[in-house]
C-alpha cells in the first residue's frame, strides 16, 4: 500500500489500527452512557411507582368488625315516642360496645375492659348505627348485623404496619386488645373489606374515617370551570394570533407573554389569585371557583400554544380552496381549518387539563387547605382538591394517614396517566400527513 | 336578580333572537325576491348580537362594580367612632357586617321585623342577635346596633342595585333587538357585522394573556410596596437572617426578613437538580434521537412522558416517605449523617422531575441539526459518537443551553417537592446532607395561616413572589431568545 511504502514516515496503518479499537471502545462507552441515562430514568420511575404502590395498596381495604347490635329500646327511645330528637341523641357508642363485648364474651359491667373494647372501634361508629336507625326507626328493639370500621390503630395492626412483638406501650394496643382481635379474627367477625370510605368521606382527624370524597368534588368543580373557560378562550386567542394577527408590537407582546406565562412558576399564579380574586374581588377563600379561575389562567398558555401548532399544521391549500368558493376568512376557519385542527387541540387540552388537575401549590395560596368535612354543593363552598388532600395527609403525623396518602396519590397518578395516555393515543390515531 | 341569572336569561334571549333573525331574513328574501347578502344564519347572528351584547356588557360591568360601590357607601355611613379606627379594624367590622348581611335574606318575615325594630331602637340588639343566631348566622360576639343597621342597609342597596341592573339590561336588550330588527333587509351586510364582532371577541381573548401578566405584576407590586413600608428593601435583599417572628397585625419592626438564606437554599437545590437532570436528560435525548431504533423509541419515549405527567406533589411525597429515609439509611451505612430532608433529597428528586423536560427539549434541538452536518462528518471517517460530540452537540449547544436555562427556571419555581423534602430552617450551609429552605417554601409557610394582609409576616410572601417572578422571567426571556435564535439558523 502507498502509505506503508514510504519508509521515512511512521506506519500509519498501524496507528490507525491501534486507534480504531480505542475509538470503537469510546463509541461503545458513549452508547452505554446513553442506555444508562435512560435506564436511570426508568429505574427511578419504577422505584417511584413501587414505593407508592407498596405504601398505598393497603389503603384500598379497611379492617371492619361485624357487630350484632341490639338496638335496645331503653337506650335509643326510652319514652317510646320515636321522637327524631331522641333518636338523634341516643348513645349509639354504648350499643356498639355492648355488642362487641357480647361477641367477645366480656362482662359489660367491667368498665376498664369496656373502655378498651371501645378503643377497638372507630370513633365514628355511633354515626354508622345512628344512620341505620334514622333510616328505619322500626328497627328499634331488634338485633341487626352491622359492619363498622375498626379503629385506625387496629387497622394498622391488622395490616402488619404495627409490630406485634413490641411491648404494649410502644404499639398503643394492649395485650388484652390483641387477644380480642385474634379471637375476633378467628371467629370471623373481624375482616378486611374494600374501603369505600376512602372515596366518599371528607376530612377527618382519625385516619379510618377520612377520605377523598370532598376533594374529588372540589377537583371536579375546578375542572368544570377550567374546561368551560380555558378551552374557548385559549382556542379563540390562538385563532386570532395564528390567523388574523398582524405582525406588530401588540401581537409580539402577546406572543412573548404567552410563552413566558407557560413558564411562570405555578405558585406565582396562586399569589395572583389571592391578591385579585380574594382580596380585590371579594370571592370566598377556599372556594373551588377561585381555584378554577387560577388554574384557568395557568392552563391558557398550554392550550394556546398547542392550538397554534395544530392550526399551523393545516396546509394552506385547504384555506385557498375555501376562499376560492367565496368563503370569508372566518367561514374558512370555522368550517375547514378548525375541524381539521381538532385532534391537535384536543391533545393539547388534555395535557393542559392533566397539569391543572395535578397542580397543588397555587391552591395552597388561596386557602384550599381548609379542613372540609361536608360535601360542597356549589363552587362557592369551601372545598379541597385531590393533590391538596395528598399534601395535607402527607404532613399529618398519624400512622394511618401514610397509607391513605399513598393510596390517594395512586388514584391521582392513575387518573393522570390515563389522561396522558389518551392524549398519546389521540395524537397517534389522528396524526395526518398532508 | 343576580348577575348570573341575568346572563343566563340574556343567552336564552340571544338564542331566540337568532332564530327570529334567520326566519325574518328568509321571509324578507321571499317577499322582496331579492338575494340575501349573507346566509340567513348571519342575520340571526346579527340580531342576537344586538340583543345580547350591550346588555351583557352592562350587566357584567355592573355586577363587578356593585361590590365596591355598595361597600364604599356602607363604609362611609358607618359611625364616626368606627371611621376613626385603623384600616385593619375597619376591615374586621366590614367583614362582620358582611356576615350579617349574607344571612338576612334567609330570615323569615317575622324575624326581619325584629331586626327592623332593633334598627329603629324598639328592640334591643341582643334580641336581633338571638333571632339571627337561630337562623344560623354566625357572628361571634354580640354585634353593635350600627352593624345590624349597616348590614340592613347593605342588603337594601344590593336589592336596589339588582333591580336597577335587571331593568336596565332588559331595556337594553329590547332596544337592541328592536333596532336590529328594524334594520333587517336583504342588502344588510350581516356577515361583515357579525364577523367583526367575532374578531373583536378573538382579540379580547388573546388580550387576557397580557392582562394576566399585568395582573401578576401589579398585584404583587402593590403588596410588595406595602411590605417595604415595614421592612427596608436593603434589609430584605441583603439580610442574612430569616426570622419572621409572628406578631400581631399593625405592629412593626419585629422579625428579620433576610432573603439571602432562602436564595442560597433555592440555588443550592436547583444546582443539585441540574447535576442530575442535565447529564441524564441530555444523554437520554442523544441516545433516543441518534442511536435508538424505532422499537426502543416507541417504548422509552412514552415512559419519559409518564415521568413528565406525574404531579409534583407525588414526587414530593416520594421524597418524603421513601427517598429521604432511603438516603438517610444509605448514609448511615456509609458512616455519613444525612438528614432525611436534605439538599440532596430535594435536589435529586427534583432533578428526576426535570429529566423529561430537558430530554424532550434537547431532543427537538438535536433533531433540528441538519443531516448534512452528520453526513459530512461520517464522510471524514468519524465514528457516530465522535460526530455527536464534535459536530452535533457543538451545533446544538446554544439551543441546549436555552433548554437548560428553562429547566433551571423550573427548578427555582418548583414548590411541592421542596415543601415536603427540603426542610423549613433557613440556614446558610454548604453541607448537602443538611436541610435548607427555599423561596417557594417560605411563600407557602407565610401564607397558609389565617392571617390578615397587613402584617409584614404575610406581605413578605408577595415580596418573595415578586423576586421569584423576576428571576424566572429573566431566565425565561433569555432562554426563549436563545432557543428561537438558534432554531432560525437552519430554517
Amino acid at each position: 500500500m502507498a502509505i506503508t511504502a514510504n519508509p521515512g514516515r511512521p506506519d500509519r496503518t498501524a496507528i490507525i489500527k491501534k486507534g480504531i479499537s480505542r475509538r470503537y471502545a469510546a463509541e461503545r462507552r458513549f452508547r452505554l452512557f446513553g442506555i444508562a441515562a435512560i435506564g436511570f430514568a426508568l429505574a427511578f420511575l419504577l422505584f417511584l411507582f413501587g414505593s407508592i404502590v407498596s405504601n398505598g395498596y393497603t389503603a384500598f381495604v379497611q379492617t371492619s368488625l361485624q357487630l350484632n347490635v341490639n338496638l335496645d329500646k331503653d337506650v335509643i327511645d326510652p319514652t317510646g315516642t320515636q321522637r327524631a330528637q331522641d333518636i338523634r341523641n341516643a348513645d349509639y357508642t354504648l350499643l356498639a360496645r355492648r355488642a362487641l363485648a357480647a361477641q367477645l364474651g366480656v362482662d359489660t359491667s367491667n368498665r376498664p375492659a369496656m373502655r378498651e373494647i371501645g378503643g377497638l372501634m372507630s370513633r365514628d361508629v355511633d354515626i354508622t348505627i345512628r344512620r341505620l336507625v334514622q333510616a328505619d326507626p322500626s328497627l328499634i328493639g331488634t338485633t341487626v348485623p352491622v359492619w363498622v370500621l375498626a379503629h385506625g390503630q387496629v387497622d394498622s395492626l391488622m395490616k402488619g404496619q404495627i409490630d406485634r412483638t413490641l411491648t404494649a406501650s410502644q404499639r398503643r394496643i394492649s395485650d388484652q386488645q390483641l387477644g380480642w382481635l385474634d379471637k375476633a379474627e378467628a371467629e370471623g367477625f373481624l375482616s378486611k373489606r374494600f374501603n369505600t370510605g376512602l372515596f366518599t368521606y371528607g376530612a377527618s382527624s382519625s385516619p379510618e374515617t377520612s377520605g377523598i370524597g370532598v376533594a374529588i368534588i372540589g377537583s371536579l368543580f375546578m375542572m368544570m370551570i377550567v374546561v368551560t373557560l380555558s378551552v374557548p378562550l385559549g382556542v379563540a386567542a390562538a385563532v386570532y394570533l395564528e390567523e388574523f394577527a398582524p405582525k406588530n408590537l401588540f401581537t409580539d407582546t402577546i406572543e412573548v407573554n404567552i410563552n413566558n406565562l407557560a413558564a411562570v412558576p405555578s405558585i406565582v399564579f396562586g399569589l395572583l389569585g389571592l391578591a385579585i380574586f380574594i382580596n380585590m374581588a371579594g370571592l370566598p377563600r377556599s372556594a373551588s371557583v377561585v381555584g378554577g379561575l387560577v388554574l384557568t389562567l395557568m392552563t391558557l398558555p398550554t392550550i394556546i400554544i398547542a392550538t397554534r401548532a395544530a392550526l399551523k399544521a393545516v396546509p394552506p391549500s385547504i384555506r385557498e380552496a375555501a376562499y376560492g368558493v367565496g368563503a370569508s376568512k372566518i367561514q374558512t376557519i370555522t368550517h375547514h381549518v378548525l375541524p381539521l385542527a381538532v385532534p391537535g387541540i384536543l391533545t393539547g387540552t388534555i395535557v393542559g387539563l392533566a397539569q391543572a388537575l395535578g397542580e397543588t401549590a397555587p391552591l395552597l395560596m388561596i386557602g384550599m387547605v381548609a379542613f372540609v368535612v361536608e360535601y360542597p354543593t356549589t363552587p362557592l363552598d369551601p372545598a379541597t382538591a385531590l393533590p391538596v388532600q395528598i399534601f395535607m395527609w402527607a404532613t399529618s403525623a398519624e400512622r394511618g394517614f401514610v397509607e391513605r396518602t399513598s393510596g390517594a396519590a395512586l388514584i391521582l397518578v392513575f387518573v393522570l396517566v390515563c389522561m396522558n395516555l389518551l392524549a398519546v393515543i389521540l395524537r397517534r390515531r389522528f396524526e395526518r400527513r398532508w | 336578580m343576580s348577575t348570573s341569572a341575568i346572563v343566563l336569561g340574556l343567552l336564552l334571549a340571544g338564542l331566540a333572537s337568532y332564530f327570529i333573525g334567520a326566519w325574518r331574513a328568509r321571509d324578507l328574501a321571499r317577499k322582496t325576491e331579492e338575494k340575501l347578502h349573507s346566509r340567513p344564519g348571519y342575520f340571526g347572528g346579527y340580531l342576537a348580537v344586538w340583543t345580547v351584547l350591550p346588555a351583557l356588557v352592562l350587566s357584567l360591568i355592573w355586577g363587578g362594580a356593585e361590590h365596591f360601590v355598595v361597600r364604599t357607601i356602607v363604609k362611609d355611613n358607618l359611625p364616626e367612632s368606627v371611621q376613626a379606627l385603623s384600616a385593619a379594624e375597619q376591615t374586621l367590622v366590614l367583614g362582620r357586617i358582611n356576615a350579617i348581611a349574607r344571612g338576612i335574606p334567609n330570615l323569615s318575615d317575622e324575624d326581619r321585623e325584629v331586626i327592623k325594630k332593633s334598627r329603629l331602637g324598639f328592640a334591643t340588639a341582643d334580641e336581633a342577635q338571638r333571632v339571627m343566631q337561630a337562623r344560623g348566622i354566625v357572628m361571634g360576639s354580640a354585634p353593635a346596633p350600627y352593624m345590624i343597621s349597616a348590614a340592613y342597609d347593605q342588603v337594601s342597596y344590593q336589592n336596589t342595585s339588582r333591580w336597577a341592573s335587571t331593568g336596565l339590561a332588559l331595556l337594553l336588550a329590547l332596544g337592541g333587538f328592536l333596532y336590529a330588527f328594524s334594520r333587517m333587509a336583504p342588502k344588510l351586510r350581516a356577515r361583515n357585522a357579525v364577523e367583526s364582532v367575532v374578531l373583536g371577541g378573538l382579540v379580547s381573548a388573546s388580550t387576557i394573556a397580557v392582562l394576566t401578566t399585568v395582573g401578576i405584576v401589579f398585584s404583587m407590586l402593590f403588596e410588595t410596596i406595602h411590605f417595604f413600608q415595614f421592612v427596608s428593601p436593603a434589609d430584605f435583599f441583603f439580610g442574612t437572617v430569616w426570622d419572621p417572628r409572628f406578631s400581631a397585625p399593625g405592629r412593626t419592626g419585629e422579625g428579620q426578613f433576610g432573603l439571602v438564606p432562602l436564595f442560597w437554599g433555592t440555588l443550592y437545590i436547583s444546582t443539585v437538580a441540574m447535576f442530575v437532570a442535565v447529564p441524564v436528560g441530555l444523554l437520554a435525548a442523544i441516545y433516543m434521537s441518534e442511536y435508538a431504533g424505532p422499537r426502543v423509541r416507541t417504548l422509552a419515549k412514552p415512559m419519559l412522558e409518564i415521568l413528565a405527567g406525574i404531579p409534583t406533589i407525588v414526587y414530593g411525597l416520594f421524597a418524603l416517605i421513601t427517598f429521604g429515609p432511603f438516603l438517610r439509611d444509605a448514609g448511615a451505612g456509609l458512616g455519613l449523617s444525612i438528614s432525611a430532608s436534605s439538599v440532596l433529597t430535594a435536589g435529586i428528586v427534583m432533578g428526576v422531575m426535570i429529566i423529561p423536560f430537558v430530554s424532550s427539549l434537547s431532543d427537538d434541538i438535536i433533531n433540528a441539526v441538519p443531516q448534512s452536518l452528520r453526513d459530512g462528518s461520517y464522510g471524514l471517517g468519524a465514528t457516530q459518537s465522535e460526530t455527536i460530540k464534535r459536530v452535533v452537540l457543538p451545533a446544538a449547544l446554544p439551543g441546549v443551553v436555552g433548554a437548560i436555562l428553562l429547566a433551571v427556571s423550573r427548578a427555582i419555581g418548583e414548590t411541592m417537592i421542596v415543601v415536603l423534602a427540603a426542610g423549613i430552617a433557613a440556614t446558610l450551609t454548604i453541607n448537602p446532607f443538611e436541610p435548607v429552605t427555599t423561596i417557594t417554601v417560605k411563600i407557602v409557610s407565610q401564607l397558609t395561616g389565617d392571617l390578615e394582609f397587613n402584617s409584614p409576616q404575610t406581605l413578605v410572601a408577595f415580596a418573595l413572589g415578586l423576586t421569584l417572578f423576576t428571576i424566572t422571567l429573566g431566565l425565561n426571556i433569555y432562554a426563549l431568545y436563545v432557543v428561537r435564535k438558534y432554531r432560525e439558523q437552519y430554517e
Side-chain angles (χ1 to χ4, degrees), chain A residues 18-41:
Chain A
K18 223 172 88 192
I20 276 179
S21 61
R22 187 177 41 79
R23 286 169 62 202
Y24 279 2
E27 175 74 31
R28 277 194 297 276
R29 251 195 332 268
F30 192 70
R31 221 177 232 265
L32 217 62
F33 282 147
I35 294 173
I38 293 177
F40 173 80

Short mmCIF file of all heavy atoms in Angstrom, two decimals, chain A residues 18-41:
data_model
loop_
_atom_site.label_atom_id
_atom_site.label_comp_id
_atom_site.label_asym_id
_atom_site.label_seq_id
_atom_site.Cartn_x
_atom_site.Cartn_y
_atom_site.Cartn_z
N LYS A 18 -4.42 0.88 15.61
CA LYS A 18 -4.37 0.97 17.05
C LYS A 18 -5.49 1.91 17.56
O LYS A 18 -6.17 1.63 18.54
CB LYS A 18 -3.01 1.52 17.49
CG LYS A 18 -2.43 0.76 18.69
CD LYS A 18 -1.00 1.20 18.98
CE LYS A 18 -0.99 2.39 19.88
NZ LYS A 18 0.35 3.02 19.96
N GLY A 19 -5.64 3.01 16.80
CA GLY A 19 -6.66 3.98 17.19
C GLY A 19 -8.05 3.43 17.07
O GLY A 19 -8.93 3.74 17.87
N ILE A 20 -8.26 2.60 16.06
CA ILE A 20 -9.63 2.14 15.80
C ILE A 20 -10.21 1.42 17.01
O ILE A 20 -11.33 1.71 17.42
CB ILE A 20 -9.66 1.23 14.55
CG1 ILE A 20 -9.73 2.12 13.31
CG2 ILE A 20 -10.89 0.31 14.58
CD1 ILE A 20 -9.75 1.37 12.02
N SER A 21 -9.44 0.56 17.60
CA SER A 21 -10.03 -0.18 18.71
C SER A 21 -10.34 0.79 19.85
O SER A 21 -11.36 0.67 20.53
CB SER A 21 -9.09 -1.28 19.18
OG SER A 21 -7.89 -0.69 19.61
N ARG A 22 -9.45 1.80 20.02
CA ARG A 22 -9.70 2.78 21.07
C ARG A 22 -10.98 3.57 20.76
O ARG A 22 -11.83 3.79 21.61
CB ARG A 22 -8.50 3.73 21.16
CG ARG A 22 -8.57 4.70 22.33
CD ARG A 22 -7.30 5.56 22.38
NE ARG A 22 -6.83 6.01 21.08
CZ ARG A 22 -7.37 7.05 20.43
NH1 ARG A 22 -8.36 7.72 20.96
NH2 ARG A 22 -6.89 7.42 19.26
N ARG A 23 -11.08 3.93 19.47
CA ARG A 23 -12.25 4.73 19.09
C ARG A 23 -13.53 3.91 19.19
O ARG A 23 -14.58 4.43 19.58
CB ARG A 23 -12.06 5.26 17.67
CG ARG A 23 -11.04 6.40 17.64
CD ARG A 23 -10.66 6.74 16.23
NE ARG A 23 -11.78 7.20 15.43
CZ ARG A 23 -11.80 7.15 14.10
NH1 ARG A 23 -10.78 6.65 13.44
NH2 ARG A 23 -12.84 7.59 13.45
N TYR A 24 -13.43 2.65 18.83
CA TYR A 24 -14.64 1.83 18.95
C TYR A 24 -15.02 1.64 20.40
O TYR A 24 -16.21 1.60 20.75
CB TYR A 24 -14.42 0.48 18.27
CG TYR A 24 -14.59 0.55 16.77
CD1 TYR A 24 -14.88 1.77 16.16
CD2 TYR A 24 -14.49 -0.59 15.97
CE1 TYR A 24 -15.03 1.84 14.79
CE2 TYR A 24 -14.64 -0.51 14.59
CZ TYR A 24 -14.90 0.71 14.01
OH TYR A 24 -15.07 0.78 12.66
N ALA A 25 -14.01 1.55 21.25
CA ALA A 25 -14.30 1.43 22.68
C ALA A 25 -15.02 2.70 23.17
O ALA A 25 -16.01 2.63 23.91
CB ALA A 25 -13.02 1.22 23.47
N ALA A 26 -14.52 3.83 22.70
CA ALA A 26 -15.16 5.09 23.09
C ALA A 26 -16.60 5.13 22.59
O ALA A 26 -17.51 5.58 23.29
CB ALA A 26 -14.37 6.27 22.52
N GLU A 27 -16.78 4.62 21.38
CA GLU A 27 -18.11 4.57 20.78
C GLU A 27 -19.06 3.74 21.66
O GLU A 27 -20.15 4.17 22.02
CB GLU A 27 -18.00 3.95 19.38
CG GLU A 27 -19.32 3.71 18.67
CD GLU A 27 -19.93 4.99 18.18
OE1 GLU A 27 -19.19 5.93 17.85
OE2 GLU A 27 -21.18 5.07 18.15
N ARG A 28 -18.54 2.54 22.05
CA ARG A 28 -19.37 1.67 22.88
C ARG A 28 -19.68 2.32 24.23
O ARG A 28 -20.78 2.26 24.74
CB ARG A 28 -18.67 0.33 23.10
CG ARG A 28 -18.85 -0.65 21.96
CD ARG A 28 -18.43 -2.05 22.37
NE ARG A 28 -17.01 -2.12 22.71
CZ ARG A 28 -16.03 -2.29 21.82
NH1 ARG A 28 -16.33 -2.42 20.54
NH2 ARG A 28 -14.77 -2.34 22.19
N ARG A 29 -18.64 2.99 24.79
CA ARG A 29 -18.83 3.65 26.08
C ARG A 29 -19.93 4.70 25.99
O ARG A 29 -20.81 4.79 26.82
CB ARG A 29 -17.51 4.31 26.50
CG ARG A 29 -16.87 3.61 27.67
CD ARG A 29 -15.79 4.41 28.34
NE ARG A 29 -15.05 5.35 27.54
CZ ARG A 29 -13.91 5.09 26.90
NH1 ARG A 29 -13.40 3.89 26.92
NH2 ARG A 29 -13.30 6.05 26.24
N PHE A 30 -19.86 5.49 24.92
CA PHE A 30 -20.82 6.57 24.76
C PHE A 30 -22.25 6.03 24.65
O PHE A 30 -23.18 6.53 25.27
CB PHE A 30 -20.46 7.38 23.52
CG PHE A 30 -21.19 8.69 23.42
CD1 PHE A 30 -20.92 9.73 24.30
CD2 PHE A 30 -22.18 8.87 22.47
CE1 PHE A 30 -21.59 10.91 24.20
CE2 PHE A 30 -22.86 10.06 22.38
CZ PHE A 30 -22.56 11.08 23.25
N ARG A 31 -22.35 4.98 23.86
CA ARG A 31 -23.64 4.32 23.69
C ARG A 31 -24.16 3.84 25.05
O ARG A 31 -25.33 4.00 25.38
CB ARG A 31 -23.45 3.11 22.81
CG ARG A 31 -24.51 2.88 21.79
CD ARG A 31 -24.04 1.67 21.01
NE ARG A 31 -24.05 1.92 19.59
CZ ARG A 31 -25.09 1.57 18.83
NH1 ARG A 31 -26.14 0.99 19.35
NH2 ARG A 31 -25.07 1.80 17.55
N LEU A 32 -23.22 3.27 25.80
CA LEU A 32 -23.58 2.73 27.11
C LEU A 32 -24.08 3.84 28.04
O LEU A 32 -25.04 3.67 28.79
CB LEU A 32 -22.35 2.05 27.73
CG LEU A 32 -22.65 0.80 28.52
CD1 LEU A 32 -23.26 -0.26 27.64
CD2 LEU A 32 -21.37 0.30 29.20
N PHE A 33 -23.42 5.00 27.97
CA PHE A 33 -23.86 6.15 28.78
C PHE A 33 -25.31 6.49 28.47
O PHE A 33 -26.12 6.74 29.36
CB PHE A 33 -23.00 7.38 28.51
CG PHE A 33 -21.66 7.35 29.18
CD1 PHE A 33 -20.56 7.93 28.58
CD2 PHE A 33 -21.51 6.75 30.42
CE1 PHE A 33 -19.31 7.90 29.20
CE2 PHE A 33 -20.27 6.72 31.04
CZ PHE A 33 -19.17 7.29 30.43
N GLY A 34 -25.62 6.49 27.18
CA GLY A 34 -26.99 6.81 26.77
C GLY A 34 -27.97 5.81 27.35
O GLY A 34 -29.00 6.19 27.92
N ILE A 35 -27.62 4.51 27.21
CA ILE A 35 -28.52 3.49 27.75
C ILE A 35 -28.64 3.64 29.26
O ILE A 35 -29.73 3.54 29.83
CB ILE A 35 -27.99 2.09 27.38
CG1 ILE A 35 -28.09 1.92 25.87
CG2 ILE A 35 -28.79 1.00 28.08
CD1 ILE A 35 -27.45 0.65 25.36
N ALA A 36 -27.49 3.95 29.91
CA ALA A 36 -27.51 4.11 31.35
C ALA A 36 -28.43 5.26 31.75
O ALA A 36 -29.16 5.18 32.74
CB ALA A 36 -26.10 4.35 31.88
N ALA A 37 -28.39 6.36 30.97
CA ALA A 37 -29.23 7.51 31.31
C ALA A 37 -30.70 7.13 31.25
O ALA A 37 -31.47 7.41 32.18
CB ALA A 37 -28.94 8.66 30.35
N ILE A 38 -31.07 6.45 30.16
CA ILE A 38 -32.48 6.05 30.04
C ILE A 38 -32.82 5.05 31.13
O ILE A 38 -33.87 5.12 31.78
CB ILE A 38 -32.76 5.47 28.64
CG1 ILE A 38 -32.63 6.59 27.61
CG2 ILE A 38 -34.13 4.85 28.58
CD1 ILE A 38 -32.80 6.14 26.20
N GLY A 39 -31.87 4.13 31.36
CA GLY A 39 -32.10 3.15 32.42
C GLY A 39 -32.28 3.81 33.77
O GLY A 39 -33.18 3.42 34.54
N PHE A 40 -31.49 4.84 34.06
CA PHE A 40 -31.61 5.54 35.33
C PHE A 40 -33.00 6.14 35.48
O PHE A 40 -33.67 5.99 36.50
CB PHE A 40 -30.55 6.64 35.42
CG PHE A 40 -30.69 7.54 36.62
CD1 PHE A 40 -30.23 7.13 37.86
CD2 PHE A 40 -31.28 8.79 36.50
CE1 PHE A 40 -30.35 7.95 38.96
CE2 PHE A 40 -31.41 9.61 37.60
CZ PHE A 40 -30.94 9.20 38.83
N ALA A 41 -33.44 6.83 34.41
CA ALA A 41 -34.76 7.47 34.46
C ALA A 41 -35.85 6.42 34.68
O ALA A 41 -36.74 6.59 35.52
CB ALA A 41 -35.02 8.26 33.19
#
